[in-house]
Amino acid sequence: MRPSNLDLGVIGNGTFGALLDSTGTVVWCCLPAFDGDPAFCSLLSPKRDGGMWSVEIEHFAGSEQQYIPNTAILRTILRDKHGGAVEITDFAPRWRHYNRLYRPVGLYRRVRPIAGAPRIRIKLQPLADWGAREPERTWGSNHMRWLLPGHVLRLTTDLSLRLLRDELPFVLDRELHFVLGPDETLTQPIAAYIRDAEERTMIYWREWTRYLSIPLEWQDAVIRSAITLKLCQYEDTGAIIAAMTTSIPEAPHTQRNWDYRYCWLRDAAFVVRALNRLGATATMEEYIRYIFNLVTGERADLQPVYGIGFEAALHEDEAEALEGYRGMGPVRVGNLAWKQVQHDVYGSVMLASTQLFFDQRLQQPGDASTFSRLEPLGEQAWLMHDQPDAGLWEFRGRTSVHTYSSVMCWAACDRLAKIAARFGMGDRVEHWRGRADRIRTAILDNAWNEERGHFADAFGGDRLDASLLLLADTGFIDADDPKYVATVEAIGKGLRRGHGLYRYIAPDDFGAPETSFTICTFWYVEALAAIGRTEEARALFESVLARRNPLGLLSEDLGFEDGEAWGNFPQTYSHVGLISAAMRLSRPWQEAT
């Protein structure tokens, strides 16, 4: 049975991630990392049986699911029609070991009876080569192995291998344990090992969330979003993926269907800034290392997106053996956005880096040498601030001098001036402040549409774009500036539909957009609060929270009428927006006493 919606949970550990449906079935998991072959791919409808790991209860009556609070450990309860019930606990191990993080490519699972005499069947059916074939499998006394491309997957269990191999039904009368991961022998009793691993993983996540600087209100939503963002960083390199999936369409049967398992510098910068606001600065430090591995002495220009292992070329192909989410193909592997020119990337990197130079808590704060490594990005921003690009929405068929891109080029120069002042570099302050001021003047002269009475999406343009809501957040303009207020009000009238916002409404290469882009709704919430319409902002924020899936997670888009989730999942952009809006809107902690 294939998922019919995005009511999915996510588990992971900074090396890989997996998605589970409401019955606890693993429906998506790329191995051995986010950008790998999806051994579990039933989310995207393989043409052959398999691509999942399920616990099926006979006479199924319903399921319940929740995270253990403040962790990435997921519990699912399956109930049958006769009063029987089974509890499934799923997690990816993550804890500190010998002053390092232990985070292997492993899915750990406990299955135990909690009522009656339930009969279950375990189906563990990985596929290989993007769903094209069943991998060769072998087995021993207590384990099974699947020979995947470039990776051997091994299951160690205390379940009878005959019951597992032949997928035979049986009465669950004791707790069972499963370790699915690298081809390594388990050298201790599996029950004790799983219990210890679960406890260590729980301690890690609760310790991590304990030190988050969360707002007074909406704490559960913010914590869940923060954990989700943390799960989307590939810690081997510091890259942050946009989402764990590929090819979940932005609306039913649309051609807007992309692979998001890569690191967009813009999206990643938003993630870093959101986690910085919560005090989780390690993500920033790891991401800056990733950036410095991309920026070499030979060239300072940046692509908008890279692979998690610094790959520059992300060639786009189609996986013929997968029919797509609900059969809505094609399924894309790779993303041609790597070939695009998007000038906002320089400001994005700079905004993500700035706290590095001012936060005294950091073990390795930015210094003059770090500043000098960032200056070439500022030079690129200066050169490109008035040049056409594809924009942050990655238009494939047109280019313009997009206002948002130019504002981010301004932000790159502005932040370099501030960092230079931090180190008392008077000549560099003058250099970067001069360039920032000239870019700002160009934007004010060319992006303001006097006839329409609002900022436009591009120099000399007349269209609205939700990214204009960020002009105040970047510091480009004051929130009480009449031009900003007028732009926010115009966007509310032109792009808002009910409980959501379009990114833009002008048709593009693929026609007119059909769904609300969730982070744009959150941007509008923050903009409303910034211009003093706080109660309206709170009401809209609550309406979006109500449209999260049952586990508190968000995809990229929401249907205007039914609130149905569309787009890749879980979407870092959306969870960034939730955190930022909650931080702005929440009552202060003083009101709790």
Side-chain angles (χ1 to χ4, degrees), residues 16-71:
F16 78 108
L19 303 181
L20 292 80
D21 71 9
S22 60
T23 66
T25 299
V26 180
V27 298
W28 183 258
C29 181
C30 295
L31 297 172
F34 296 120
D35 61 349
D37 188 7
F40 301 103
C41 55
S42 61
L43 178 66
L44 296 187
S45 309
K47 295 177 181 179
R48 63 190 311 134
D49 290 338
M52 50 77 176
W53 181 10
S54 65
V55 177
E56 298 180 357
I57 189 169
E58 289 189 353
H59 309 293
F60 175 75
S63 64
E64 307 156 24
Q65 200 170 49
Q66 63 182 4
Y67 283 104
I68 295 177
N70 299 345
T71 76

Side-chain angles (χ1 to χ4, degrees), residues 511-532:
E514 301 174 55
T515 50
S516 70
F517 201 73
T518 302
I519 194 173
C520 293
T521 307
F522 286 129
W523 288 345
Y524 183 60
V525 166
E526 288 199 72
L528 286 175
I531 66 172

Side-chain angles (χ1 to χ4, degrees), residues 16-295:
F16 78 108
L19 303 181
L20 292 80
D21 71 9
S22 60
T23 66
T25 299
V26 180
V27 298
W28 183 258
C29 181
C30 295
L31 297 172
F34 296 120
D35 61 349
D37 188 7
F40 301 103
C41 55
S42 61
L43 178 66
L44 296 187
S45 309
K47 295 177 181 179
R48 63 190 311 134
D49 290 338
M52 50 77 176
W53 181 10
S54 65
V55 177
E56 298 180 357
I57 189 169
E58 289 189 353
H59 309 293
F60 175 75
S63 64
E64 307 156 24
Q65 200 170 49
Q66 63 182 4
Y67 283 104
I68 295 177
N70 299 345
T71 76
I73 302 173
L74 187 62
R75 279 189 179 158
T76 308
I77 294 176
L78 306 179
R79 300 189 185 277
D80 65 27
K81 296 178 181 178
H82 307 294
V86 173
E87 180 190 75
I88 309 167
T89 301
D90 288 290
F91 65 99
R94 181 180 174 89
W95 61 80
R96 299 200 178 277
H97 187 65
Y98 297 135
N99 293 320
R100 294 178 296 176
L101 278 172
Y102 178 72
R103 43 178 175 78
V105 182
L107 283 168
Y108 291 11
R109 168 168 277 183
R110 280 195 303 116
V111 181
R112 70 184 185 97
I114 57 174
R119 284 175 60 85
I120 67 170
R121 184 195 316 262
I122 307 289
K123 292 184 177 180
L124 180 47
Q125 302 173 345
L127 293 176
D129 297 331
W130 286 85
R133 64 179 177 87
E134 295 180 11
E136 180 183 349
R137 69 177 187 176
T138 65
W139 56 82
S141 56
N142 296 105
H143 73 269
M144 292 183 65
R145 299 163 74 246
W146 291 266
L147 307 182
L148 301 173
H151 182 72
V152 178
L153 195 61
R154 179 186 182 114
L155 176 80
T156 302
T157 181
D158 48 8
L159 172 66
S160 158
L161 285 193
R162 180 63 181 269
L163 298 181
L164 180 65
R165 269 200 331 260
D166 298 342
E167 298 177 356
L168 301 175
F170 61 94
V171 175
L172 182 67
D173 57 4
R174 61 188 175 90
E175 184 170 289
L176 297 175
H177 308 87
F178 303 85
V179 173
L180 184 65
D183 188 22
E184 300 170 354
T185 301
L186 189 64
T187 58
Q188 55 187 294
I190 187 171
Y193 175 72
I194 288 280
R195 287 286 183 181
D196 181 61
E198 182 179 345
E199 180 68 20
R200 288 171 179 249
T201 301
M202 188 182 308
I203 289 171
Y204 169 84
W205 284 113
R206 287 184 167 169
E207 187 78 358
W208 187 78
T209 58
R210 177 184 172 192
Y211 290 103
L212 294 177
S213 301
I214 59 174
L216 171 61
E217 297 181 89
W218 308 296
Q219 294 183 35
D220 289 344
V222 169
I223 290 171
R224 183 52 48 203
S225 289
I227 290 174
T228 302
L229 294 182
K230 184 68 174 173
L231 292 178
C232 288
Q233 183 167 46
Y234 182 63
E235 292 180 346
D236 277 4
T237 63
I240 301 169
I241 58 172
M244 291 188 186
T245 57
T246 177
S247 306
I248 310 295
E250 295 180 16
H253 304 287
T254 183
Q255 295 181 58
R256 302 174 194 274
N257 171 327
W258 317 113
D259 189 349
Y260 276 14
R261 300 169 306 132
Y262 309 111
C263 183
W264 271 260
L265 303 189
R266 174 194 315 110
D267 300 46
F270 274 108
V271 170
V272 166
R273 292 175 67 201
L275 290 178
N276 280 353
R277 291 182 183 182
L278 297 175
T281 55
T283 297
M284 170 182 61
E285 296 175 279
E286 291 161 3
Y287 176 63
I288 298 305
R289 283 195 290 272
Y290 176 78
I291 293 297
F292 284 165
N293 276 293
L294 295 175
V295 180

